[in-house]
Amino acid sequence: MSLRHGLLGLLADGPASGYDLLKIFDRSLAFVWPATQSQLYGELNRLADDRLIVVSNEGPRRRKEYTITPAGRTELARWLTDAEPDRIRRNDAMLRVFFLGTLQPEQAKAYLEREADVHENFEHLLSDIVSETDWEARSFNRYGRLVIESGIRYAHAQAEWARWAAQQVDELDAPRNRSHVS
Amino acid sequence: MSLRHGLLGLLADGPASGYDLLKIFDRSLAFVWPATQSQLYGELNRLADDRLIVVSNEGPRRRKEYTITPAGRTELARWLTDAEPDRIRRNDAMLRVFFLGTLQPEQAKAYLEREADVHENFEHLLSDIVSETDWEARSFNRYGRLVIESGIRYAHAQAEWARWAAQQVDELDAPRNRSHVS
DNA sequence: CATGTCATGTAATCCGTTACATGATTAC
DNA sequence: GTAATCATGTAACGGATTACATGACATG
């Protein structure tokens, strides 16, 4: 239930409406935990049912401003310190790599070179965000900087790996043409 | 629909039963795409309904051996070359980092140091697998070696990042105690 | 008064997890 | 004969995605 705790975490920084939270989400948490509008509104109602947040204000156009409760802060801290993170990383780009042997070597290399390009571009995108952001602001932002740094290092490592892997294809492919049984 | 293509990819290497595939899955693809037994059997039936695989043999204990069809191979190649991989990487360990500012600095550092340890251990686990495996065997295995290399580099980069991030906590925390408005 | 933005919600569907059910065959 | 392994399936539930629905308020 990470969406739940993502919302609690954002509300720990101050009151906000679902609409506000959606915008913040899309620009920050969505990099590591995307959520849709309907999912978010549904989860806010469930959090309110469980008294981890309360409606602290109602504005025009049915706007509901939520505030985190002490019970919500307790639950957030519990999640951060006591709950073991899920280590599953589904990665369908990497799943494909298992099967590149079913393609022509040229196609396999093209796939890996493209992966390298995509990750290099992503690395640059994140670097640009770092340059253009004011990191002094709030503590949420300061820790967000750490997350982006991890993204930069991840993208960099993946790009390097993909270039290396593309070279390996020639060597992996070579034995096929040698004398022993394939 | 990556499970679907994962199964097609395994069957491209030769016929197998659901039971066989489950074991292969758990030891290889599960690192990047876990699947449960019930999911796997269900998907095999759907693949057979769509004629991408056929039951080529029936053995004792209701065993059904599946073989990939030409249509299945075409679909596998299409997925590998024409379908853009999903770039979403849900990561609840990283989501927590956004909110470490709500904890005491000591707790935040402890969280990051633990992440470093976990990734270092994982890196060693993968390195051990590399040492203990015969990589000459089949092409599936040879490309699997590339996937493991990516896992090693990922785990290494994450561990280094987490050590660095733990150091940053002191510096991120410092401004709180300075004169300007928090 | 028309368009854009603010604002929240419901419903259908898909994928994944957990638990349960069932039974055949093999090995001791 | 009994325990382990082989082997496949169903059902309930929860989270995520997509599409649809609705309406208030602000701006020109």
Side-chain angles (χ1 to χ4, degrees):
Chain A
M1 290 192 300
S2 294
L3 169 60
R4 191 178 184 80
H5 295 101
L7 291 172
L8 277 180
L10 291 182
L11 287 170
D13 227 41
S17 70
Y19 191 81
D20 297 335
L21 292 166
L22 184 62
K23 282 188 295 181
I24 300 171
F25 228 95
D26 283 344
R27 291 183 203 141
S28 51
L29 310 194
F31 282 93
V32 296
W33 204 273
T36 61
Q37 178 255 55
S38 42
Q39 216 186 340
L40 195 147
Y41 283 112
E43 193 61 50
L44 283 171
N45 282 318
R46 260 168 268 135
L47 281 162
D49 288 347
D50 295 344
R51 313 288 160 183
L52 301 180
I53 64 179
V54 286
V55 177
S56 49
N57 229 308
E58 305 204 25
R61 302 165 188 156
R62 300 167 65 209
R63 178 191 171 91
K64 290 190 281 182
E65 194 177 70
Y66 292 99
T67 298
I68 191 168
T69 63
R73 287 189 191 274
T74 303
E75 171 55 19
L76 178 62
R78 188 201 61 74
W79 177 68
L80 287 170
T81 56
D82 295 357
E84 179 62 10
D86 188 355
R87 303 294 172 186
I88 293 170
R89 303 278 174 265
R90 280 177 209 277
N91 186 335
D92 84 325
M94 200 56 70
L95 180 62
R96 283 163 221 242
V97 175
F98 277 105
F99 309 124
L100 290 180
T102 67
L103 296 178
Q104 296 300 312
E106 285 314 308
Q107 293 177 297
K109 278 163 78 171
Y111 178 83
L112 292 165
E113 295 287 1
R114 170 152 169 70
E115 284 301 298
D117 291 345
V118 165
H119 285 96
E120 270 173 21
N121 290 338
F122 188 57
E123 185 190 351
H124 294 143
L125 179 103
L126 292 178
S127 298
D128 289 349
I129 291 176
V130 169
S131 323
E132 292 158 13
T133 305
D134 169 25
W135 297 107
E136 287 303 307
R138 295 160 314 133
S139 99
F140 170 71
N141 238 332
R142 296 205 302 268
Y143 280 89
R145 171 72 184 83
L146 298 186
V147 176
I148 292 193
E149 177 66 24
S150 132
I152 289 173
R153 291 175 184 220
Y154 166 75
H156 187 82
Q158 279 293 109
E160 276 198 335
W161 167 83
R163 299 268 181 236
W164 167 84
Q167 288 181 344
Q168 296 293 305
V169 169
D170 297 316
E171 293 166 41
L172 288 178
D173 193 53
R176 269 201 212 163
N177 309 321
R178 286 214 302 272
S179 54
H180 62 65
V181 184
S182 71
Chain B
M1 290 192 301
S2 294
L3 170 59
R4 191 178 184 81
H5 295 101
L7 291 171
L8 277 180
L10 290 182
L11 287 171
D13 227 42
S17 68
Y19 191 82
D20 297 336
L21 292 166
L22 185 62
K23 281 187 296 181
I24 300 171
F25 230 96
D26 284 344
R27 291 183 203 142
S28 51
L29 310 194
F31 283 94
V32 296
W33 204 272
T36 61
Q37 177 254 56
S38 41
Q39 215 187 340
L40 196 147
Y41 282 111
E43 193 61 49
L44 283 171
N45 282 320
R46 261 168 267 136
L47 281 163
D49 288 347
D50 296 343
R51 313 286 160 186
L52 300 179
I53 64 178
V54 286
V55 177
S56 51
N57 229 308
E58 306 204 26
R61 303 164 186 157
R62 301 168 63 211
R63 177 191 171 91
K64 291 190 281 184
E65 194 176 69
Y66 292 100
T67 299
I68 192 168
T69 63
R73 286 189 192 274
T74 304
E75 171 57 19
L76 177 63
R78 188 200 61 74
W79 176 68
L80 286 170
T81 57
D82 295 356
E84 178 63 8
D86 187 355
R87 303 294 173 186
I88 293 169
R89 303 278 174 269
R90 280 177 208 277
N91 186 335
D92 84 324
M94 201 56 69
L95 180 62
R96 284 163 221 241
V97 176
F98 276 106
F99 310 123
L100 291 180
T102 67
L103 296 178
Q104 295 299 313
E106 284 314 308
Q107 292 177 298
K109 279 163 77 171
Y111 177 82
L112 292 164
E113 295 286 2
R114 170 151 168 71
E115 284 303 296
D117 291 345
V118 165
H119 285 96
E120 269 173 23
N121 289 340
F122 189 56
E123 186 190 350
H124 294 143
L125 180 105
L126 291 178
S127 298
D128 289 349
I129 291 175
V130 170
S131 323
E132 291 158 13
T133 306
D134 168 25
W135 297 106
E136 287 303 307
R138 293 159 315 133
S139 99
F140 169 72
N141 238 332
R142 296 204 303 268
Y143 281 89
R145 171 71 183 82
L146 298 186
V147 176
I148 291 192
E149 177 64 24
S150 131
I152 289 173
R153 291 176 184 220
Y154 166 75
H156 188 82
Q158 279 293 110
E160 277 198 335
W161 167 83
R163 299 268 181 235
W164 167 85
Q167 288 181 344
Q168 295 294 305
V169 169
D170 298 316
E171 293 167 42
L172 287 179
D173 194 52
R176 269 200 213 166
N177 309 322
R178 284 215 302 272
S179 53
H180 63 64
V181 184
S182 72

